[in-house]
């Protein structure tokens, strides 16, 4: 079975660490989907400055990232990445919903959804839930927005996208009995089914256990 595994969630919740661990565990390539790796002119630019650029620049850069991610992922039969088109869609909404024409935003979101259906078999969404809000400390890499409120807001958009894009959770009791995990299901887009895990867990060992079980589904 092929693995095209994408991690989604706001910055600073551990996506890259877990993605690299999964890649090592499965013996498949880790492919960085980081914005700053793909658009070099943003490498030393704080997130705050990036989102405060004029709307046309933000839209151009974000569409450029979609294209570059697609090219990078397309060449791999099996891979794990620390970014996804799912969180790309959420950031389009967060940054541009009030600044560009609705038809342009619809086009960007449709591109994200289409690319996800074509290039992702497993989506791991790490939500910035109330548990994270109360107990998680975001590492300061001098680029991230550290505001809990901002991270919580973007994560709520991602929760909304799960519903809009047709996420159907498995029966939680049956899933826990069979696999030891609860918050997982599928998302069907244009006839393609993507397995989805909502990883609302802070402890690293428990995260790794849940991921192992999820990848056995």
């Amino acid at each position: 079975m092929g693995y095209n595994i994408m991690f989604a969630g706001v910055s600073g919740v551990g996506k890259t660490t877990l993605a690299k661990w999964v890649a090592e565990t499965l013996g498949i390539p880790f492919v960085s989907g980081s914005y700053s790796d793909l658009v070099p002119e943003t490498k030393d630019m704080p997130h705050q400055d990036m989102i405060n650029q004029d709307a046309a620049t933000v839209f151009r850069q974000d569409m450029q990232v979609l294209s570059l991610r697609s090219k990078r992922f397309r060449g791999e039969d099996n891979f794990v990445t620390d970014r996804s088109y799912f969180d790309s869609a959420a950031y389009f909404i967060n940054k541009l919903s009030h600044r560009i024409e609705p038809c342009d935003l619809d086009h960007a979101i449709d591109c994200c959804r289409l690319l996800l259906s074509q290039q992702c078999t497993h989506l791991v969404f790490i939500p910035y839930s109330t548990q994270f809000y109360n107990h998680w400390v975001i590492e300061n890499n001098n680029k991230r927005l550290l505001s809990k409120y901002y991270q919580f807001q973007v994560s709520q958009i991602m929760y909304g996208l799960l519903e809009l894009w047709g996420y159907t959770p498995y029966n939680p009791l049956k899933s826990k009995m069979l696999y030891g995990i609860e918050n997982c299901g599928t998302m069907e887009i244009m006839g393609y089914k993507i397995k989805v895990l909502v990883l609302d867990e802070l402890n690293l060992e428990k995260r790794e256990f849940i991921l192992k079980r999820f990848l056995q589904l």
Side-chain angles (χ1 to χ4, degrees):
M1 179 181 66
Y3 287 106
N4 297 161
I5 305 166
M6 297 185 177
F7 279 76
V10 299
S11 61
V13 292
K15 298 188 302 296
T16 303
T17 299
L18 289 172
K20 288 181 176 178
W21 176 83
V22 168
E24 184 177 350
T25 300
L26 295 178
I28 61 178
F30 167 79
V31 181
S32 174
S34 170
Y35 203 118
S36 58
D37 287 345
L38 295 172
V39 186
E41 63 261 34
T42 68
K43 193 169 187 64
D44 299 317
M45 185 182 296
H47 192 176
Q48 180 75 49
D49 294 345
M50 288 171 62
I51 64 177
N52 284 336
Q53 297 178 102
D54 66 274
T57 299
V58 173
F59 184 76
R60 175 184 60 78
Q61 288 179 344
D62 282 11
M63 290 299 291
Q64 181 185 7
V65 165
L66 288 187
S67 176
L68 292 171
R69 282 179 179 165
S70 176
K71 289 178 182 177
R72 181 167 291 189
F73 300 155
R74 198 182 304 143
E76 301 287 348
D77 293 328
N78 295 276
F79 68 89
V80 185
T81 181
D82 53 350
R83 300 293 190 278
S84 82
Y85 303 113
F86 180 73
D87 40 318
S88 292
Y91 280 108
F92 266 116
I93 294 168
N94 172 258
K95 292 186 287 186
L96 293 169
S97 60
H98 56 301
R99 302 173 67 194
I100 65 174
E101 292 297 323
C103 59
D104 291 330
L105 185 61
D106 285 340
H107 171 68
I109 301 303
D110 286 344
C111 286
C112 294
R113 188 167 171 267
L114 177 63
L115 287 168
L116 189 73
S117 72
Q118 293 176 338
Q119 297 184 340
C120 179
T121 61
H122 296 73
L123 179 69
V124 181
F125 169 41
I126 306 176
Y128 195 82
S129 62
T130 52
Q131 181 177 208
F132 277 72
Y133 181 91
N134 290 324
H135 302 290
W136 187 264
V137 178
I138 298 174
E139 181 184 354
N140 185 2
N141 65 354
N142 297 316
K143 283 182 64 68
R144 294 177 178 135
L145 272 169
L146 301 179
S147 168
K148 292 183 177 183
Y149 298 106
Y150 178 79
Q151 305 290 28
F152 188 74
Q153 173 187 344
V154 176
S155 195
Q156 292 306 302
I157 295 173
M158 293 179 184
Y159 272 123
L161 282 174
L162 275 182
E163 185 175 350
L164 285 173
W165 288 9
Y167 171 63
T168 304
Y170 297 140
N171 182 307
L173 292 178
K174 185 176 180 180
S175 295
K176 190 167 185 179
M177 287 176 60
L178 292 176
Y179 305 108
I181 53 178
E182 295 181 36
N183 299 321
C184 57
T186 59
M187 180 188 295
E188 186 167 342
I189 303 174
M190 302 182 69
Y192 293 92
K193 277 194 176 180
I194 300 167
K195 294 179 180 178
V196 179
L197 172 66
V198 181
L199 187 57
D200 188 9
E201 173 58 57
L202 305 183
N203 180 273
L204 180 59
E205 289 185 3
K206 289 183 179 178
R207 283 178 159 197
E208 292 175 352
F209 170 81
I210 292 169
L211 281 166
K212 280 183 178 179
R213 290 303 184 96
F214 172 64
L215 295 172
Q216 292 168 2
L217 292 177

